[in-house]
Amino acid sequence: LPDDILAGKTVADLEGCAKRQSDFLWQVSRPEYDDTEFLSRAEERYAKMLLLSAKHPHQFVVPTYDIDLLWHTHIRTRTTPSSSQESSSTTTT
């Protein structure tokens, strides 16, 4: 890995991050996360969290696991081009 990726991180920091991530992954692997209705309600709660965060920008809102999953998914989809975007950006005319 390039040095700048791990800049300021210790092995203990990375181990702690990995532990928290494993707890998160265990939580979101529960059966309800395959339920469309559950995820639809989670999406509604996520939208409410965004509104609450915008209304109170100096307060940290702690999301539940379902909201956190949608939050990370939202961030990822906004920062990672889809395969169709990648193929169109590499195609020359």
Side-chain angles (χ1 to χ4, degrees):
L1 290 174
D3 290 339
D4 61 335
I5 290 178
L6 296 177
K9 293 285 183 191
T10 65
V11 172
D13 292 336
L14 294 174
E15 288 174 358
C17 290
K19 172 68 173 118
R20 286 188 299 280
Q21 190 67 17
S22 70
D23 292 343
F24 173 78
L25 291 173
W26 182 83
Q27 288 291 335
V28 298
S29 65
R30 297 171 55 121
E32 58 266 27
Y33 285 85
D34 286 329
D35 179 11
T36 304
E37 288 181 34
F38 173 82
L39 292 173
S40 180
R41 290 189 307 273
E43 186 176 3
E44 291 171 11
R45 290 189 297 275
Y46 173 63
K48 289 177 182 179
M49 185 205 76
L50 291 177
L51 291 173
L52 185 63
S53 294
K55 188 174 180 177
H56 303 281
H58 300 293
Q59 296 293 319
F60 183 73
V61 178
V62 179
T64 56
Y65 286 111
D66 59 335
I67 292 171
D68 200 25
L69 175 65
L70 288 168
W71 186 10
H72 286 270
T73 302
H74 185 197
I75 291 168
R76 177 117 173 117
T77 58
R78 293 179 54 88
T79 60
T80 306
S82 68
S83 58
S84 62
Q85 290 172 323
E86 287 174 351
S87 62
S88 66
S89 67
T90 58
T91 305
T92 59
T93 55

